[in-house]
């Protein structure tokens, strides 16, 4: 899973990125490049299972994060969506738009004044214009080509693009357009910015920390209730905390009223927004956490581990994490009837410990 941090310049993206790298890398270091990091997802359930199985290695699920440089302003004062930007967001599964609430005269704001609601609108407008232009160009081409000769793919695309055009012309982002599975498939090769799931990260400092409620009600008024998921955080303060020892950091955190780290907040929000959950595999060689969509079947989950497991699936041995911790071993789970054999249609639950039987 890949997420991109986007926003105007100096909103706090790189600061958050650095904090996330730190939060996800306690212990073994994850891979990180200048603008891209593979962050281990902290997972206490997995830690506890590893303490029991004592495997050769523990493999956490990972989140790939891209720190995308702030969009520049063009001469007419609008955000410029560059081809470099488009290339970077292309493969992301979700975007986090970081808006700035902290005030600091020594750090220039591209729009001069501090106004995070305006900044959301700013980016949304440019994203929408970018999508509208893509839709229009593509529609022109589809219609022209279809006049020349029949083409099944284009015939399928035409109504979907028309539907998207009508929606965006009402100034609505594509993420609010209802598309069925087939329609999504037809346009899956295209990159629409307003189709990406989006979270708003509100970057606060000590002086602005009481503005969260006002911000949320302003956002509701402007964009409609629940148009966005918002998570407030303290980019600079949390970065500074990440440089301290755990005990020191805990003290400052409670003074500040921070009960959950920015990384944990982001993970929780992303999992909810994208409808994700985890399953676990255990053994002497490896204890591992895997990310899957909610409502995935045991066979689909097997396919996440290996395509062969999908193709040659026989049964899944399943124990819920809580049951396992409660009974203490697989043998005791069996005695208690908490260990089950499930078929390929079984719908996985969060925290299931799976062992796939395959031919
Ligand atoms: N005073 C203050 N400064 C902050 C806060 N959050 C971030 N900064 C500072 O703002 C400056 C810009 O932050 P970055 O994280 O580099 O911003 P960015 O969004 O990555 O900027 P671009 O990459 O240019 O788009 C840095 O000097 C940060 O230390 C904050 O809450 N308070
Ligand atoms: Mg940056």
């Amino acid at each position: 899973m890949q997420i991109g941090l986007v926003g105007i310049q100096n909103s706090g993206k790189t600061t958050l990125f650095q904090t996330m790298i730190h939060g996800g890398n306690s212990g073994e270091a994850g891979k990180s490049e200048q603008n891209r990091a593979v962050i281990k997802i902290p997972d206490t359930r997995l830690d506890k299972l590893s303490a029991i199985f004592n495997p050769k290695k523990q493999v956490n699920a990972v989140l790939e994060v891209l720190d995308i440089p702030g969009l520049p302003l063009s001469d007419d004062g609008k955000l410029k969506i560059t081809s470099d930007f488009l290339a970077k967001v292309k493969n992301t599964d979700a975007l986090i738009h970081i808006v700035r609430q902290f005030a600091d005269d020594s750090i220039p704001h591209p729009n001069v004044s501090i106004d995070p609601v305006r900044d959301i609108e700013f980016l949304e407008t440019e994203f929408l214009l970018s999508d509208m232009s893509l839709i229009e160009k593509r529609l022109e081409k589809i219609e022209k080509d279809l006049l020349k000769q029949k083409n099944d793919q284009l015939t399928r695309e035409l109504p979907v693009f028309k539907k998207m055009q009508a929606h965006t012309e009402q100034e609505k982002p594509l993420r609010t357009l209802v598309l069925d599975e087939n329609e999504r498939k037809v346009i899956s090769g295209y990159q629409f910015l307003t189709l990406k799931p989006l979270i708003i990260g509100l970057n606060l400092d000590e002086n602005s920390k009481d503005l969260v409620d006002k911000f949320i009600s302003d956002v509701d008024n402007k964009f409609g209730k629940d148009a966005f998921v918002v998570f407030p955080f303290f980019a600079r303060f949390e970065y500074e905390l990440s440089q301290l020892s755990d005990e020191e950091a805990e003290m400052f955190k409670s003074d500040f009223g921070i009960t959950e780290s920015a990384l944990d907040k982001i993970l929780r929000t992303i999992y909810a927004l994208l409808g994700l959950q985890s399953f676990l595999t255990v053994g002497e060689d490896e204890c591992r956490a895997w990310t899957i969509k909610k409502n995935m079947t045991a066979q689909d989950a097997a396919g996440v581990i290996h395509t062969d497991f999908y193709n040659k699936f026989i049964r899944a041995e399943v124990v819920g994490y809580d049951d396992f911790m409660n009974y203490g071993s697989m043998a005791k789970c069996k005695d208690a009837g908490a260990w089950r054999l499930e078929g390929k249609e079984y719908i996985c639950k969060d925290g299931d410990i799976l062992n796939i039987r395959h031919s």
Side-chain angles (χ1 to χ4, degrees):
M1 188 182 25
Q2 190 185 68
I3 60 165
L5 306 179
V6 299
I8 53 167
Q9 288 169 352
N10 282 346
S11 58
K13 299 177 291 299
T14 301
T15 313
L16 173 64
F17 177 74
Q18 297 294 348
T19 313
M20 288 174 82
I21 291 178
H22 185 90
N25 276 355
S26 37
E28 207 177 298
K31 269 184 269 168
S32 89
E33 293 156 25
Q34 205 183 1
N35 292 312
R36 177 179 165 275
V38 179
I39 292 175
K40 278 203 297 182
I41 299 182
D43 189 333
T44 47
R45 291 188 297 205
L46 185 63
D47 294 341
K48 286 187 183 150
L49 289 171
S50 285
I52 294 169
F53 285 88
N54 200 16
K56 293 194 189 100
K57 64 176 179 186
Q58 170 176 331
V59 185
N60 290 54
V62 294
L63 177 72
E64 198 176 327
V65 186
L66 297 184
D67 173 24
I68 300 171
L71 288 165
L73 290 188
S74 56
D75 294 340
D76 55 3
K78 295 202 172 119
L79 285 177
K80 223 158 84 190
I81 309 271
T82 59
S83 52
D84 182 51
F85 177 83
L86 287 173
K88 288 207 166 88
V89 299
K90 198 170 169 179
N91 295 317
T92 54
D93 300 297
L95 297 174
I96 304 187
H97 180 188
I98 304 299
V99 289
R100 170 172 168 180
Q101 180 75 79
F102 75 88
D104 185 336
D105 291 340
S106 69
I107 298 162
H109 189 301
N111 276 336
V112 187
S113 62
I114 302 295
D115 184 346
V117 178
R118 172 207 57 204
D119 291 347
I120 296 177
E121 194 181 15
F122 219 55
L123 195 84
E124 284 290 292
T125 305
E126 292 312 316
F127 275 17
L128 191 66
L129 290 173
S130 163
D131 285 353
M132 287 172 87
S133 125
L134 181 60
I135 292 167
E136 192 185 316
K137 280 194 202 124
R138 185 66 197 160
L139 260 178
E140 264 172 35
K141 176 142 178 43
I142 295 173
E143 282 169 343
K144 208 164 111 207
D145 287 0
L146 278 178
L147 281 180
K148 279 192 246 154
Q149 61 176 326
K150 262 182 75 179
N151 178 312
D152 288 348
Q153 168 66 17
L154 296 186
T155 309
R156 279 192 294 270
E157 281 186 23
L158 184 66
V160 189
F161 273 80
K162 286 234 154 115
K163 187 171 166 180
M164 292 197 296
Q165 188 173 49
H167 189 77
T168 50
E169 274 171 354
Q170 296 171 51
E171 297 183 15
K172 290 185 196 152
L174 291 171
R175 72 181 86 85
T176 62
L177 176 65
V178 179
L179 293 167
D180 66 29
E181 207 174 312
N182 284 329
E183 291 171 324
R184 281 186 187 276
K185 221 181 258 167
V186 167
I187 57 161
S188 64
Y190 299 93
Q191 285 309 316
F192 297 108
L193 294 171
T194 64
L195 194 57
K196 298 258 180 206
L198 183 85
I199 297 168
I200 304 287
L202 180 69
N203 184 10
L204 301 155
D205 62 1
E206 181 155 28
N207 300 321
S208 57
K209 68 178 191 288
D210 298 327
L211 294 175
V212 178
D213 290 345
K214 178 180 179 319
F215 173 77
I216 290 175
S217 83
D218 288 352
V219 169
D220 285 351
N221 289 336
K222 180 102 205 170
F223 302 96
K225 197 154 173 44
D226 301 326
F228 298 109
V229 184
V230 173
F231 81 92
F233 71 107
F234 302 90
R236 174 123 118 199
F237 181 66
E238 292 199 49
Y239 176 73
E240 283 163 0
L241 288 183
S242 73
Q243 307 298 307
L244 301 176
S245 73
D246 286 352
E247 289 131 48
E248 275 178 308
E250 276 314 315
M251 226 168 61
F252 282 111
K253 263 192 220 164
S254 56
D255 286 353
F256 235 74
I258 297 177
T259 49
E260 193 180 21
S261 73
L263 176 61
D264 286 343
K265 245 185 255 177
I266 288 174
L267 289 169
R268 191 168 45 77
T269 313
I270 296 252
Y271 268 58
L273 185 69
L274 302 186
L276 302 174
Q277 64 181 15
S278 315
F279 74 89
L280 305 145
T281 50
V282 293
E284 283 168 15
D285 282 334
E286 178 183 285
C287 286
R288 181 161 181 165
W290 308 78
T291 305
I292 53 168
K293 286 245 172 212
K294 279 192 178 136
N295 295 323
M296 248 194 185
T297 62
Q299 188 176 21
D300 285 332
V304 172
I305 303 176
H306 204 293
T307 347
D308 271 358
F309 286 14
Y310 179 90
N311 292 330
K312 299 174 181 166
F313 181 94
I314 298 175
R315 285 278 163 89
E317 300 172 9
V318 185
V319 178
Y321 171 82
D322 289 334
D323 279 342
F324 183 81
M325 293 316 274
N326 193 15
Y327 297 111
S329 73
M330 287 299 171
K332 286 189 185 147
C333 285
K334 275 186 192 170
D335 293 343
W339 180 99
R340 296 148 8 236
L341 270 180
E342 301 279 5
K344 61 182 180 188
E345 304 294 339
Y346 169 73
I347 304 291
C348 296
K349 297 196 184 58
D350 187 46
D352 273 349
I353 301 172
L354 298 183
N355 183 34
I356 308 297
R357 288 189 184 173
H358 55 93
S359 56

